Amino acid sequence: MEEQKQPVALESSAPVIGPGHSFATVTDKISAIVLTRPTSTGWFVGFGVAFLLTMMMLFAIGYLFVRGTGIWGITIPIGWGFAIVNFVWWIGIGHAGTLISAILLLLRQSWRNSINRFAEAMTLFAVSAAGIFPLIHVGRPWLAYWLFPYPNTMNYWPQFRSPLVWDVFAVSTYFTISLLFWFVGLVPDLATLRDRSQSRPAQIIYGMLALGWRGSARHWHRYETAYLLLAGLATPLVLSVHTVVSFDFAVGIVPGWHTTIFPPYFVAGAIYSGFAMVLMLAIPIRKLYGLEDFITERHLQNSAKVMLATGLIVAYGYAIEAFMGWYSGNRYDAFTLWNRLHGPYAIPYWALLICNIFVPQVLWIRKLRTSPPALFLISGVILVGMWLERFIIVVVSLHRDFLTSSWGMYYPTRWDWMTYIGTIGMFLAAMFLFVRILPMISIFEMRTLLPEAEVKPE
Amino acid sequence: MKHTPIYGLMAEFDSASELVAAARQTHAAGYSKIDAYSPFPVEELAEAIGFHRNGVPLVTLIGGLLGGLSGYLLQWWIATVSYPVNVGGKPYHSWPSFIVVTFEMTILFAGIFAVFGMLALNGLPMPYHPVFNVARFAFATKDRFFLIIFSSDPRYSSVETRRFLESLGPRSISEVPS
Amino acid sequence: MTIEEQNGKQRREDVCPGKKNQLDLDTARARIAETKGPEFWRSLEELAGSSEFQEMMHREFPKGASEWLDAVSRRGFLKLMGASLAMAGMTACTKQPLEPIVPYVRQPEETVPGRPLFYATAFTLGGYATPMLVESHLYRPTKIEGNDKHPASLGGTDVFAQASILEMYDPDRSQTITYLGDVRTWGDFLKSIRGPLNAQKAVQGSGIRILTRTVSSPAQADQLQSVLKLYPQAKWHVYEPINRDNVYAGAQMAFGEPVETQYKLENADVIVSLDADFLSAGFAGNVRYIRDFAKRRDPDSGNMNRLYVAESTPSSTGAKADHRLPVRAVDIEAFARDLRRIWESKSDFVALAGPGSGAAWAHKHEYLEMVSAVAEDLKAHSGSSVIIVGDHQPPVVHALAHAMNQALGNVGKTVIYTPPVDANPVNQTESLKNLVADMRAGKVDMLFILGGNPAYDAPADFGLADALKNTNIPVRVHLGLYQDETAELCQWHLNEAHYLEAWGDARAYDGTVSIVQPLIAPLYGGKSIYEMVALLAGQPETSGHEIVQGYWKKQHPGADFDAFWRKSLHDGWIENTAFQPKQVSLKPVQIPDYAASDAKSIEINFRRDPSVYDGRFSNNGWLQELPKPMSKMAWDNPVLVGPAMAERMGLRSEDLIELELNGKKLTAPVWIQAGHPDNSVTVFLGYGRRRAGRAGTGAGFDMYPLRYNATPWFTTGVAVTKAGGTYKLATTQGYQTMDTPEGARPLVRTASLDEYHKEPDFAREDEPPAELTLYKPYPYKEEPYAWGMTIDLNSCVGCNNCIVACQSENNIPVVGKEQCVIGRHMHWLRVDAYYQGDRDNPKAYFQPVPCMQCENAPCEVVCPVGATVHSTEGLNDMVYNRCVGTRYCSNNCPYKVRRFNFLLFQDWETPQYKMMRNPDVTVRSRGVMEKCTYCVQRINHRRIDAEREDRKIQDTELQTACQQSCPANAIVFGNINDPESRVSKLKAKARNYSLLGDLNTRPRTTYLAEIRNPNPELET
């Protein structure tokens, strides 16, 4: 991750927190969003829409269970369609949170403090959205638990040579660790809310969640150690998850899958889309809740730089893929390359190149890096691009493999779309709830950023 | 006010620096059963009150080892002892394929042990604690800093200790009923 | 009714869940009163079934037909209908036929549950019998195999015979006798025609007309003759849309008598086919011909044959040709004439180019080269060559061929003449014409249509349907398997007994008579044609058994009849019934002058459909979903157009076009068929049925309206115009070329005979050496068995037989057109057809692809639940009940032979299908992956036998379903650990190669490269 270290380090001019803030103001401003501020109608509308989309997803899944995966566009040879595309896409998005919290923490990037909280939440929700797909995409979803090793009367176990089993472990581990990390980070702030909230129920609930935190020096000491250790563990983990996901393809022998470049460029791609999503959330939130003091230009800039860097890694990945297709002299790989450029799915492929490689280059321009609307737009483009990338890898590789006789085409059905858009709704609904009931910025970590937090030697 | 057994004496400070200084003096003064509370982690504070031992890293290490071992052994046992079967012509004990799960299990267990170890050592969750009886302590999670000398301290005496605390120039001093 | 009967009824309904208390007792009593003992329950079943049945009959389209466009609701609808058709006791209550029939292998009393018995019987198509053995599980026929003892089969079958088992269990089959749509009983029918028949006696039956399909059955012919004796004025008409009128007319022209022409391809070094598709089902004797042809294709034998094909429609025969010339059907005659003229009048190209020559035809040079080369080759192989003419070619071409075969001295060696197999070889078109004339003239009082569906498939200009409707013939009786278009127009419809339910006999192409044994009592109590004719002959109560046995008693009197009878049943044919070669002398043939065809005007060809024949099989799901050999098309019959013509007209596949012939218009989709002659279109008959059943009704387009009495097979002058709009077609093969922008892929590997001799192991691609691995390979060599398969691409003629055999053996579901369009067909074994080279006349190759059973199976490694793992004997096993359906295995299978149950494709309700299924094979459910298992159930059967006798499985005793049914012997399966096994020997051959071997999958199924034997003169 050297790449994003540099841009971050370069930038020291812009402040990470607005001027004129004290412990009290920081605490009040952030906790007020949850405790005192009235819930805006905008929130209700937004949540309502997201909720309806979630319901649509549940309906699509219900129908899927009744009729079978045949309601989707998948077929032979394209055995994997939207489900896997969306799975990889969401998992990728889910990388930013832990990355920001863990890696930037280890790198002592204090600017992370104001965005790590909701980035982590975003991670949890993205991973949950991703987690739905592997479960429902199987032909007999009610037996999906057979992928977990558990003692059973069949005396039979999962087949540990299969990348899908690796996935199960990687994703569930990632979710668990991210959850712990997020919750541990929340505890002191929950204590703050406990002590700030006026209503009894709120006090009780937050109190329970705060586990009776009282900020004792001993506790803080162990807490810090654990938090640091967790960050240390999460760092290799976050790098491993998308590596493992990329194994789903790299281990296969399908031309377009069977390549060693996948792990690094999957990870880069994940962070790429992850930061894009962070920005897409951060930019509106800071505006709506007036948090410009905490999520400053600097945060936006740094995120943009991370995207720029990872975007270049991804571009490198594409280049190598193309190069190997030509250089290997393998007639199947060569055709896969040709098919991407000229085949029936050429348009999505070119669109992918535009979204992921060409458009983001404008981030070299400082003016755009610092303009929220521009960043918001570019992030959207990148998210689309990354989805297309997964579509190209999954569908376009499969639809024309070795035997020309069994080439096919893939056409998603309305159920594919409903499920996909539904998960976006679910993700947003969760985000809406989060910003409403939990401090979306780590209060205690913000306090440490204030000058008065310095302990002056006597 | 109603007489209740005293849990300790609590002094309130305005800034981290004051608290650290106060803590140092208290500890130097020979008080051992003391504690300090701050709204955010203050590095110097722990050693200021003479706290050094920290079990969390060890617990985490144990967890990691446990996870890694169990992960690999499980796979090895399944593939070669419990249900050996020819899969795609690969040997039963195809260790390269077992690395990923082993790694994930290591992380998983280490992480869980770290968090729950930390909580356990901190004696959390603990919804009730005497310090909460002090009304102003609510600010310990906002912008105030507290130092407490427990009544269980051998050198504790309601008069002496209070005087000593006053000498540290706190914002206020309050008795903590238990 | 009596107490016993009531008790009986109670019992019956308790035992057999089904339609209870459907009928009020009075009507039941009334009906039952007329029926006698053994038929009692059957009539109850008929009654029970009636309600839904009438409903079905009274609507033009079956219930919910409109929903068929939506795959999902269609499937639901199918299940519904299936369930509603379930009859009281249909499921568990079949009886063994009362008459003794003789098992092929062992005596019935030795019946062991789970051990099938095999009975010899025969399937008849166009009068020609395909002898076969039927596997029967506890008296339920489940699978059809070739009769390897029978000279006309030698173990092979054709697709129609294979699929006929499904036809028998078809729930849409007619299940009751009806009068004007109301349910009646056999008794009612007898009563109602007794009067009219007696009336006919007075007038010597001058008002009786009997219409049958081609009859080759000696017993039936005998019956019909006796009927004609009884009613001297009665007439017996014969008609089938796919008839051999031209063949007999040609023989008439050449020899003055209608004779059957048989070919001995095992003796032929050079075969010239003039539009004869003799390697595909429907051609008389194709099963045997394929076997003989394939035997002579072995490049190592040193006497490989050479095949020239001039054809008007790309066919599997053309695909196997060493030299193929696309010629319009009208120009075939010119080709034949030119052939003859070259070595009769020593004429050269110049002379050829003269009048009466086909040289006017487009590809002049190609044509002239070909025709002269063929002529030379034929001359060079006098006596060991043969010229075969397609049934649809006009008599003159047949006559020319006869003359040439005679001149070449092939007669007696590669060609023999026998009496016709057809017991009544009249000109069938004429025959039907007369019938219609009589109907219109009001001469017909009683019309018996026994089998056949003339209302649908008669020549358009006869207006037979109209005649049936409007000439109000007092008694119109239709006997048929289905309530079809003809049944609709007859007062009486009698449900016919399927040939697997009834006694009979029939002649194979060589005249050998097979006895048709019933495998099961008629499911719906139908009557066979024999019983029907017996009724006309005045013996209404004689059973089919009595009729057939009685006839042969007459032929074979004497004490040893029982032995003779047993043997005939056991073997599946009657000794010494094959026709003896007939000495015929060539008359001075008066070949009419040649009228050169107009090369500009577009020709239309009418052909029997490779899947549904003339439409009689259109409700057979297996056949409907069977990809046609050349186009890989399922469920439809688009108009075939050549690439050049399509380009001229700016047509793309699936475009709708309008065909206009003699003022009649018809709209249908187009399929661009590489190798189709220019200025010519081909349409296939048998689709667009209105009353076929759930599978056939509405599928495809009815081409009969364009088919006229004068031009039943082809004619020029059809107007083709773009109609606008498109129509979705279902092809099961993605692409039909091996060429990609990044080079051709070595899927089918071929060489000419010379190249092969120069470099025998040309096909061997550099596979990574076995020891090139980090892992210790699995010790298969130490196992007693290691199963492997070879498929000889040289022998394979792409007849699709293996596909149907596999479908039948392994309970493979039918998914319907909509799913086929998406690409979800379920065939475990598919036959890929590839084209290469010139689009107007490409080389074509077939490649059957079952599971390769890779030793390093990519599918297994990626399965997360271990649902597909390797057996010690090298089988790539599928554990259905462990599969959760991630489809990862299919993605990772480079051969894409895995099939997935995306929806609930299997029909779990229809009771008939429950009876049909192979009890040794799991019926898969939704969400499960499936694929070829090398017929593991058969392996285990043999294993049990072998272990019981404490020996190893013999190489010869074990055959997979595809292998057994293959008429070409292209598929060989066996133990590769045994160096003596056939499969080991074949794998040792130089031209043995593994598909995609460079992936190091180590497939157990390997291919023998295809070797062509081109004429050096034509090699360019």
Side-chain angles (χ1 to χ4, degrees), chain C residues 420-702:
Chain C
V421 164
D422 186 344
N424 182 11
V426 296
N427 181 313
Q428 299 192 349
T429 321
E430 283 306 307
S431 177
L432 190 65
K433 191 184 207 158
N434 300 337
L435 174 60
V436 179
D438 287 358
M439 286 162 71
R440 293 205 184 280
K443 293 184 190 160
V444 184
D445 307 324
M446 300 182 81
L447 174 59
F448 296 92
I449 301 174
L450 309 182
N453 186 8
Y456 165 73
D457 58 24
D461 46 350
F462 284 4
L464 186 126
D466 163 70
L468 274 175
K469 228 188 265 121
N470 304 329
T471 59
N472 47 45
I473 300 163
V475 182
R476 302 190 299 273
V477 181
H478 173 256
L479 175 74
L481 287 174
Y482 293 90
Q483 284 271 1
D484 55 22
E485 292 84 346
T486 308
E488 191 183 19
L489 302 174
C490 300
Q491 304 105 324
W492 281 98
H493 165 75
L494 311 177
N495 56 319
E496 185 182 358
H498 193 264
Y499 80 97
L500 287 170
E501 300 171 328
W503 283 93
D505 59 357
R507 287 190 186 275
Y509 81 104
D510 66 348
T512 317
V513 175
S514 295
I515 301 290
V516 178
Q517 300 190 84
L519 267 290
I520 188 172
L523 294 176
Y524 318 114
K527 289 285 176 190
S528 71
I529 290 189
Y530 297 81
E531 291 159 329
M532 185 61 205
V533 178
L535 162 65
L536 299 179
Q539 311 120 350
E541 303 308 340
T542 36
S543 73
H545 182 250
E546 291 158 8
I547 295 165
V548 176
Q549 197 178 29
Y551 172 80
W552 286 103
K553 235 193 185 85
K554 272 192 261 137
Q555 309 308 309
H556 193 286
D560 66 337
F561 175 75
D562 288 348
F564 158 83
W565 183 247
R566 288 190 71 85
K567 185 175 185 339
S568 309
L569 294 185
H570 172 279
D571 298 354
W573 82 91
I574 303 175
E575 298 257 301
N576 325 322
T577 45
F579 287 134
Q580 291 313 310
K582 194 167 176 188
Q583 288 316 320
V584 289
S585 52
L586 203 59
K587 290 196 310 181
V589 189
Q590 283 316 320
I591 302 284
D593 290 339
Y594 175 67
S597 74
D598 173 5
K600 291 284 156 291
S601 87
I602 298 173
E603 166 190 270
I604 181 168
N605 282 284
F606 301 93
R607 290 281 182 278
R608 62 167 195 268
D609 188 85
S611 300
V612 302
Y613 197 63
D614 60 2
R616 72 183 66 177
F617 301 120
S618 57
N619 200 48
N620 188 316
W622 292 351
L623 290 173
Q624 281 282 13
E625 200 148 296
L626 186 65
K628 309 194 196 297
M630 303 311 287
S631 62
K632 292 296 149 194
M633 177 82 47
W635 290 100
D636 262 306
N637 61 332
V639 180
L640 299 190
V641 176
M645 181 172 167
E647 200 168 80
R648 267 204 314 282
M649 300 185 56
L651 289 174
R652 301 229 305 292
S653 287
E654 297 190 337
D655 283 356
L656 283 168
I657 58 163
E658 188 173 70
L659 298 171
E660 181 170 3
L661 189 60
N662 309 356
K664 215 173 263 169
K665 290 183 175 166
L666 195 149
T667 309
V670 161
W671 185 256
I672 297 173
Q673 174 65 58
H676 195 288
D678 195 7
N679 264 338
S680 165
V681 301
T682 301
V683 298
F684 290 100
L685 303 169
Y687 279 89
R689 294 282 310 274
R690 278 192 310 107
R691 295 171 61 95
R694 64 187 73 172
T697 303
F701 299 81
D702 183 3

Side-chain angles (χ1 to χ4, degrees), chain C residues 720-969:
Chain C
V720 182
T721 50
K722 212 166 166 179
T726 62
Y727 175 90
K728 201 94 195 94
L729 293 167
T731 45
T732 59
Q733 183 170 346
Y735 281 74
Q736 293 201 303
T737 167
M738 295 179 279
D739 305 321
T740 72
E742 299 296 338
R745 299 184 173 183
L747 308 181
V748 176
R749 302 179 190 168
T750 62
S752 74
L753 195 54
D754 301 348
E755 293 164 350
Y756 174 61
H757 287 318
K758 281 196 204 71
E759 188 193 355
D761 60 353
F762 70 96
R764 286 266 163 83
E765 199 187 67
D766 43 346
E767 282 180 52
E771 55 279 359
L772 192 69
T773 167
L774 294 171
Y775 299 126
K776 186 170 139 297
Y778 191 87
Y780 292 111
K781 283 268 156 284
E782 297 158 18
E783 300 291 335
Y785 306 106
W787 304 115
M789 180 183 276
T790 57
I791 299 175
D792 189 342
L793 299 180
N794 226 27
S795 312
C796 175
V797 298
C799 68
N800 281 347
N801 211 349
C802 42
I803 300 180
V804 188
C806 178
Q807 188 153 24
S808 173
E809 170 75 16
N810 294 302
N811 303 332
I812 296 172
V814 172
V815 300
K817 182 187 171 186
E818 298 77 9
Q819 296 294 312
C820 282
V821 170
I822 312 173
R824 295 175 179 171
H825 58 281
M826 296 297 284
H827 297 139
W828 285 5
L829 169 59
R830 66 174 193 266
V831 178
D832 291 340
Y834 294 109
Y835 295 103
Q836 220 172 23
D838 173 14
R839 60 175 197 173
D840 295 320
N841 186 14
K843 293 210 177 320
Y845 307 98
F846 297 115
Q847 183 171 47
V849 187
C851 174
M852 296 288 141
Q853 312 285 349
C854 314
E855 286 185 2
N856 301 343
C859 52
E860 292 174 359
V861 183
V862 297
C863 176
V865 290
T868 179
V869 292
H870 236 64
S871 85
T872 55
E873 298 172 353
L875 292 191
N876 170 228
D877 293 336
M878 212 28 239
V879 190
Y880 299 126
N881 51 359
R882 176 68 179 175
C883 177
V884 300
T886 64
R887 301 180 299 283
Y888 200 173
C889 52
S890 169
N891 291 346
N892 215 33
C893 171
Y895 309 96
K896 289 289 174 284
V897 291
R898 291 179 156 267
R899 299 279 171 250
F900 187 67
N901 291 275
F902 287 93
L903 299 164
L904 185 57
F905 288 145
Q906 275 291 6
D907 180 333
W908 287 75
E909 278 84 10
T910 312
Q912 287 92 331
Y913 294 155
K914 292 177 184 169
M915 298 165 68
M916 176 184 69
R917 296 207 173 98
N918 180 352
D920 298 332
V921 177
T922 316
V923 177
R924 283 82 55 190
S925 182
R926 177 244 283 198
V928 174
M929 189 63 71
E930 60 185 70
K931 66 158 193 66
C932 159
T933 63
Y934 269 172
C935 285
V936 64
Q937 67 277 12
R938 292 187 174 213
I939 297 177
N940 290 334
H941 259 297
R942 300 294 157 274
R943 191 200 311 284
I944 292 165
D945 297 345
E947 283 174 2
R948 265 234 243 65
E949 295 153 31
D950 189 22
R951 58 174 174 83
K952 279 185 79 172
I953 301 175
Q954 306 299 326
D955 187 34
T956 47
E957 73 182 306
L958 174 54
Q959 286 188 314
T960 61
C962 48
Q963 173 186 20
Q964 201 290 328
S965 70
C966 180
N969 267 343

